[in-house]
Amino acid sequence: MTTNTTKLLPIWQDETSGIVKVIDQRKLPHDFVVLELNSVDDIIMAIREMVVRGAPLIGQTAAYGVYIAALACTSNRDFDEDGFTSNCNRIKAARPTAVNLAWAVDRVATRVRGEHNSAAKVAIAQKEAVAIARYEADNCRKIGEHGLTLIAEIARRKSGEPVNILTHCNAGWLACGEYGTATAPIYLAAENGIDVHVWVDETRPLNQGSRLTAWELGRSGVPHTVITDNAGGHLMQHGRVDLVIVGTDRTTYTGDVANKIGTYLKALAAHDNGVPFYVALPSTTFDWTLRDGAREIPIEERDADEVRMVQGLKGGKTLSVMVPPAESPAGNYAFDVTPARLVTGFITERGICKATEADILKLFPEKTSAPS
Ligand code: MRU
């Protein structure tokens, strides 16, 4: 993403040292810190502690993790003597919900196993990690081009009045690379001179909306307003939301969508108010093995302190403060599942489709072997 003349990526490999570097998203928006990831443990920490987050970026980081795991191996023929497979499995277990994690690890590890000496294994791992990052960036751009048609149509209907789009969490370039997924149609609309305004759900508990999406949109000059997580229904009731676009961490081939906690409630409110509710995703976020999202998608439960504590800036310093009584227990369900019947459609790199098994498989016919 080009913002304020600086081309930023959420993950990259240093051209001279080869070291994998990431933006530490825990520190945004008030501090901009770059972290080096030098070991498999660093990769796992970065994914688990949400230095990096968002399904496509978790996949890209995991792919570099497999490259780092390969680099650490010295046995020429059998990488498993050096723990290659167990390291890949450890990376896969870093977080449970985003399906891109296992997809990326398996894709890179399979290519590594197909090579016969250490140098070739390391080289193919690096090539695949770079290819995955490029592939996701390309997917984002295509999602943007397809999603732009929806926004352009609403702008036409409103005779150029601003198109109000609500989004939840951060499915922007920080979470994906390039234009992001949910934000890609928005960035392209802005680039094409369409008047857009974004309602940014703050997205408790970690505030990926108010910290990350607001920061991204602000740097790109896209008009936006941060709102509380509970404001969306009210705004929809009063005709102030034309379209909802969210991302997803895992979507079944039948159209059920796991996304950041609170997404389901937005979908219910959108349904009740006749507001179109779209989910933007690359094909790497479809789970081609799961049928019933609510029963089968693993929902991460994170540390309760993420709910109890709130982080913010005071007197130039980032502080963390406790909100509820110190003795009150808290629950931290990180994702929920929006059933396909509440989803108007999917914006994918291959086009827009309805949230039905038949329509999804029409766009991705090579997946028709999905179990029924
Ligand atoms: O817990 P996170 O921040 O990794 O959550 C993932 C997300 O960023 C969102 O759920 C997002 O909307 C989908 S991933 C592009």
Side-chain angles (χ1 to χ4, degrees):
M1 187 68 206
T2 306
T3 55
N4 285 356
T5 72
T6 320
K7 176 104 174 150
L8 287 175
L9 291 170
I11 189 165
W12 69 97
Q13 216 183 339
D14 189 279
E15 273 176 24
T16 24
S17 66
I19 290 173
V20 176
K21 296 185 175 182
V22 293
I23 299 172
D24 186 344
Q25 299 192 21
R26 298 169 303 179
K27 310 280 190 215
L28 290 173
H30 304 301
D31 296 303
F32 187 89
V33 175
V34 171
L35 274 194
E36 293 185 354
L37 306 181
N38 290 300
S39 64
V40 170
D41 284 344
D42 286 352
I43 292 282
I44 292 169
M45 179 283 296
I47 295 172
R48 191 167 284 153
E49 301 300 320
M50 295 173 66
V51 170
V52 292
R53 23 72 46 207
L57 180 60
I58 289 172
Q60 291 165 48
T61 309
Y64 276 112
V66 178
Y67 160 61
I68 289 172
L71 267 181
C73 295
T74 51
S75 333
N76 221 354
R77 292 174 57 94
D78 186 1
F79 265 27
D80 280 340
E81 282 171 20
D82 293 321
F84 180 73
T85 299
S86 69
N87 274 332
C88 289
N89 289 338
R90 286 199 310 125
I91 295 168
K92 271 195 201 178
R95 287 188 76 189
T97 303
V99 73
N100 304 56
L101 175 52
W103 171 83
V105 170
D106 288 342
R107 172 167 154 170
V108 184
T110 302
R111 299 298 300 271
V112 167
R113 291 193 186 98
E115 295 294 335
H116 295 292
N117 66 64
S118 299
K121 284 174 189 280
V122 168
I124 197 76
Q126 187 201 21
K127 198 170 153 210
E128 276 300 299
V130 171
I132 285 175
R134 287 216 185 105
Y135 177 59
E136 291 295 29
D138 199 41
N139 285 339
C140 288
R141 167 167 280 282
K142 289 175 182 160
I143 286 168
E145 284 162 4
H146 295 301
L148 172 60
T149 61
L150 296 173
I151 299 177
E153 170 55 26
I154 296 170
R156 253 192 309 276
R157 270 205 324 263
K158 291 186 80 176
S159 313
E161 284 290 298
V163 178
N164 290 299
I165 301 159
L166 184 142
T167 194
H168 191 69
C169 197
N170 173 263
W173 64 262
L174 281 165
C176 315
E178 197 64 17
Y179 283 84
T181 52
T183 52
I186 297 169
Y187 285 127
L188 259 76
E191 278 178 23
N192 280 274
I194 297 175
D195 206 350
V196 281
H197 165 262
V198 185
W199 297 111
V200 178
D201 282 353
E202 59 182 350
T203 319
R204 281 283 290 144
L206 292 181
N207 290 319
Q208 288 93 327
S210 55
R211 289 191 306 106
L212 307 177
T213 304
W215 182 76
E216 270 194 27
L217 293 173
R219 285 181 62 99
S220 296
V222 176
H224 62 280
T225 307
V226 176
I227 53 173
T228 60
D229 286 331
N230 299 321
H234 164 75
L235 292 169
M236 289 182 208
Q237 239 173 13
H238 290 267
R240 299 183 66 190
V241 180
D242 297 304
L243 173 67
V244 179
I245 311 180
V246 297
T248 168
D249 300 85
R250 187 187 298 230
T251 287
T252 65
Y253 67 88
T254 55
D256 295 338
V257 175
N259 194 47
K260 182 53 57 189
I261 193 79
T263 303
Y264 178 30
L265 293 178
K266 293 298 131 60
L268 283 169
H271 188 71
D272 196 41
N273 289 282
V275 174
F277 182 96
Y278 280 89
V279 178
L281 75 165
S283 51
T284 51
T285 307
F286 277 112
D287 187 325
W288 303 104
T289 68
L290 298 188
R291 219 191 146 74
D292 182 340
R295 283 168 191 270
E296 295 179 296
I297 296 178
I299 299 296
E300 180 178 17
E301 289 182 37
R302 295 184 59 85
D303 193 325
D305 273 354
E306 290 178 355
V307 173
R308 286 144 50 89
M309 311 297 290
V310 174
Q311 181 182 302
L313 189 72
K314 188 171 183 201
K317 275 199 177 148
T318 302
L319 301 177
S320 215
V321 296
M322 183 173 287
V323 179
E327 62 282 6
S328 289
N332 189 1
Y333 307 95
F335 301 94
D336 59 24
V337 174
T338 299
R341 69 187 160 79
L342 297 177
V343 178
T344 309
F346 292 122
I347 311 168
T348 77
E349 74 268 26
R350 292 207 189 155
I352 297 176
C353 69
K354 288 201 210 102
T356 62
E357 178 177 349
D359 238 42
I360 295 166
L361 292 177
K362 223 183 278 168
L363 270 192
F364 297 95
E366 73 278 18
K367 305 290 183 186
T368 41
S369 56
S372 56

